[in-house]
Amino acid sequence: MTKQGLKMPDNFLWGGAVAAHQLEGGWQEGGKGVSIADVMLAGKNGVPRVVTDGVLPDGNYPNHRGIDFYHTYADDFKLFKEMGMKAFRTSIAWTRIFPNGDETEPNEEGLQFYDDMFDALIENGIEPVITLSHFEMPYHLVTEYGGWRNRKLIDFFVRFAEVVFDRYKNKVKYWMTFNEINNQTSWKDPHPMLQNSALKDYSEDEAQELMYLASHHEMVASALATKVAHEINPEMQVGCMIAMNPVYPASSNPKDILFAERAMQTRYYWGDVQANGKYPNWLLKMWEHKGFNIGVTEEDKEILAKYTCDYIGFSYYMSWTVSDTGDEWLEYDETTNHGDNPFLKQSDWGWQIDPVGLRYAMNWMWDRWQKPQFIVENGFGAYDKKDENGEVHDDYRISYFQNHISEMEKAVVLDGVELYGYCPWGVIDLVSASTGEMAKRYGFIYVDLDDMGEGSGERSKKDSFNWYQKLVKSDGVDLYNNED
Ligand code: BG6
């Protein structure tokens, strides 16, 4: 019998995902301000990106260039349409709308840019799925206000949200507030602290408390934005956005199991607050024990309880494995506690490849939060090589997707998890968020640019392009592309 996938429900949104700062370029065009991504130099595999104090004249800032999507999107959308995409997830660069973040009036040129982009998407029959804050906040909010440690940012964010909800109320139905809001459990690593919460210049001792404080402000802002969206258009769906990495116990030792459970609680308490509307007790106890002052007011509690998210947007790339550390408070430290899983292979960047973990995660979230889900990132970063005919035969990527999509289909069709859609990450090659490389490629569409921005910028189809096209056409059944 021929191997097949399972048919997904009608109206399932097969799509693709990117973020503004990783592909738009045009960093100074249309009145755009300087974002956090604009002050990050390129790193490489194993070498973290350095954040500079403002933009230095000779630095290699890959996000300034992206893939020049600011000018090319109309042609790129034609390719997306040809591939059969029904949804496109991108973000609105906050700095195109409010260049510094604290203005009272928005920048019309920036608003018009996204108006035109959404019109072009809709003309191609593609539904926009929009993130409000995807690692690209105005840098001014870091230098002037200290980032999300400052409560004033709640007002700035809600103003930004209200302006774009109102402007695009008839064009965009699916929204998300903060990309991978929970990717801050690595609070010892300055990179996510800046990308997610605009936090810089703090001592090691205050890092963990600051992470919880900033996250609290972000979640209140997210809840208030959800309230505003529903007032503007009750049809709008506003999701949270979680980086889902299941954390497994390294053994069946009950101590490892308990510790892994706490690791899950630690990484996903953001989901508990945003979907269930309240902080879990273990965390309140931990704050008390550590003497953390997060300043959660009665009003905050009401807001969080009342305006929960409509759906769970999430990214899925890998799973992790932990062993008990012996700590009575079960404190989980993402930067040091992980071990290798002997059952899994890793990508060239050390990301553990775990398709079954996707089905596990979807069931886990469904049971815990009882909200529809939307996979808004999943993909395989790899070194692609063109052959002598200039073609990329990325069978490794196709196989990654086949294995993951197969598990996703089982979660929906066999387990009954409600899922809006599937948007594979970096549907077109773009700048890597963690390393700033172009060489870490995810796309179905190849972009001829290297890490220094050299190249023609020309787009070409990889083998995965044709594979995805057939998959979408068959609504998930022709997963293994049996017939040509
Ligand atoms: C997610 C981010 O963490 O992973 C994306 O939301 C990012 O912005 C993606 O690009 C893949 O990570 P990387 O570092 O390989 O680009």
Side-chain angles (χ1 to χ4, degrees):
M1 215 177 73
T2 11
K3 211 168 150 194
Q4 287 197 319
L6 301 170
K7 186 179 171 316
M8 294 300 278
D10 295 341
N11 305 323
F12 185 74
L13 293 170
W14 294 100
V18 300
H21 69 106
Q22 289 172 259
L23 89 173
E24 283 181 4
W27 75 289
Q28 285 179 306
E29 289 187 59
K32 182 181 171 300
V34 175
S35 79
I36 285 171
D38 291 326
V39 297
M40 292 182 108
L41 296 170
K44 52 184 179 211
N45 196 349
V47 182
R49 302 182 71 173
V50 170
V51 177
T52 53
D53 205 2
V55 176
L56 307 178
D58 298 321
N60 177 17
Y61 296 99
N63 301 76
H64 291 186
R65 310 180 286 267
I67 58 164
D68 197 31
F69 188 76
Y70 187 76
H71 300 107
T72 63
Y73 69 78
D75 286 335
D76 292 329
F77 290 168
K78 288 184 195 146
L79 280 170
F80 293 176
K81 183 183 179 183
E82 188 185 334
M83 202 163 38
M85 273 169 53
K86 297 176 175 26
F88 177 57
R89 173 188 179 223
T90 188
S91 54
I92 292 178
W94 188 341
T95 47
R96 290 200 189 282
I97 313 302
F98 289 99
N100 283 328
D102 59 356
E103 297 89 342
T104 45
E105 292 305 317
N107 169 34
E108 176 55 32
E109 226 178 321
L111 285 168
Q112 189 59 47
F113 170 69
Y114 289 107
D115 250 325
D116 295 343
M117 182 193 283
F118 299 154
D119 287 345
L121 271 177
I122 294 161
E123 273 162 31
N124 282 290
I126 301 172
E127 173 107 41
V129 176
I130 302 303
T131 316
L132 291 173
S133 183
H134 190 136
F135 303 166
E136 58 206 352
M137 289 181 47
Y139 187 57
H140 178 77
L141 298 181
V142 180
T143 51
E144 289 303 305
Y145 297 90
W148 278 99
R149 79 185 82 194
N150 192 329
R151 252 192 121 91
K152 281 191 186 141
L153 264 74
I154 298 178
D155 293 339
F156 300 149
F157 179 81
V158 176
R159 184 183 304 153
F160 163 51
E162 183 165 2
V163 164
V164 296
F165 288 151
D166 190 53
R167 178 78 170 219
Y168 309 121
K169 57 179 175 288
N170 299 319
K171 298 183 184 180
V172 180
K173 175 176 172 188
Y174 296 100
W175 298 87
M176 277 165 282
T177 48
F178 293 93
N179 183 63
E180 294 189 335
I181 190 165
N182 63 323
N183 247 356
Q184 310 183 53
T185 34
S186 50
W187 38 270
K188 283 186 185 155
D189 176 356
H191 184 74
M193 292 286 270
L194 181 71
Q195 276 194 330
N196 289 53
S197 291
L199 294 170
K200 209 174 156 233
D201 303 330
Y202 50 83
S203 74
E204 240 179 75
D205 288 350
E206 54 185 354
Q208 192 182 15
E209 183 175 10
L210 265 183
M211 184 271 287
Y212 284 117
L213 175 72
S215 297
H216 176 65
H217 294 156
E218 284 163 343
M219 288 192 286
V220 172
S222 179
L224 288 171
T226 307
K227 169 180 186 270
V228 170
H230 292 160
E231 284 164 2
I232 292 176
N233 180 354
E235 298 285 296
M236 279 185 190
Q237 291 279 297
V238 185
C240 62
M241 200 303 200
I242 301 280
M244 171 41 78
N245 307 66
V247 190
Y248 302 144
S251 78
S252 53
N253 181 338
K255 289 186 176 172
D256 286 348
I257 293 172
L258 177 66
F259 190 77
E261 175 55 21
R262 176 51 53 87
M264 289 293 274
Q265 289 173 316
T266 308
R267 267 196 73 76
Y268 303 110
Y269 89 82
W270 282 266
D272 295 339
V273 177
Q274 295 193 281
N276 295 344
K278 67 193 249 285
Y279 278 98
N281 282 359
W282 71 266
L283 185 58
L284 300 175
K285 288 275 180 199
M286 195 263 261
W287 288 350
E288 202 184 311
H289 159 70
K290 293 209 160 208
F292 287 173
N293 179 12
I294 308 303
V296 181
T297 65
E298 285 309 311
E299 196 192 346
D300 291 347
K301 286 186 198 164
E302 264 173 52
I303 291 168
L304 294 172
K306 215 161 162 191
Y307 309 109
T308 56
C309 61
D310 295 318
Y311 68 96
I312 311 290
F314 71 98
S315 62
Y316 181 85
Y317 293 94
M318 62 191 137
S319 62
W320 293 328
T321 307
V322 290
S323 307
D324 176 43
T325 60
D327 173 38
E328 200 182 17
W329 283 88
L330 302 171
E331 184 165 293
Y332 162 70
D333 173 355
E334 190 186 307
T335 39
T336 53
N337 288 161
H338 298 158
D340 288 341
N341 186 329
F343 297 97
L344 303 177
K345 293 202 172 102
Q346 302 188 358
S347 78
D348 286 333
W349 282 261
W351 291 18
Q352 294 193 136
I353 304 165
D354 178 13
V356 173
L358 177 57
R359 182 176 177 187
Y360 167 79
M362 289 173 74
N363 276 281
W364 186 88
M365 290 189 281
W366 181 251
D367 290 349
R368 195 176 181 99
W369 298 322
Q370 292 282 306
K371 301 255 184 191
Q373 298 173 13
F374 202 153
I375 301 178
V376 294
E377 289 187 33
N378 172 231
F380 190 57
Y383 293 108
D384 290 339
K385 288 221 166 47
K386 283 195 161 183
D387 71 4
E388 59 286 4
N389 303 317
E391 290 171 358
V392 177
H393 302 297
D394 54 344
D395 46 317
Y396 38 89
R397 181 168 295 110
I398 294 173
S399 138
Y400 176 98
F401 279 121
Q402 285 170 329
N403 295 333
H404 283 78
I405 291 173
S406 166
E407 295 301 324
M408 168 189 91
E409 291 180 346
K410 287 182 211 163
V412 173
V413 179
L414 308 186
D415 305 334
V417 174
E418 196 181 332
L419 184 68
Y420 287 161
Y422 176 75
C423 292
W425 176 252
V427 68
I428 182 166
D429 291 344
L430 38 55
V431 173
S432 156
S434 58
T435 66
E437 296 166 286
M438 273 302 296
K440 190 180 188 188
R441 294 176 185 273
Y442 285 87
F444 300 136
I445 299 166
Y446 187 88
V447 178
D448 182 30
L449 286 173
D450 67 15
D451 290 346
M452 297 306 293
E454 303 289 335
S456 65
E458 199 194 354
R459 279 52 169 159
S460 56
K461 299 170 193 172
K462 303 181 194 176
D463 285 358
S464 51
F465 182 101
N466 300 319
W467 166 80
Y468 194 58
Q469 188 184 48
K470 289 182 187 165
L471 173 80
V472 172
K473 213 169 168 187
S474 68
D475 252 332
V477 177
D478 196 5
L479 185 54
Y480 303 97
N481 279 196
N482 299 303
E483 278 94 35
D484 273 321

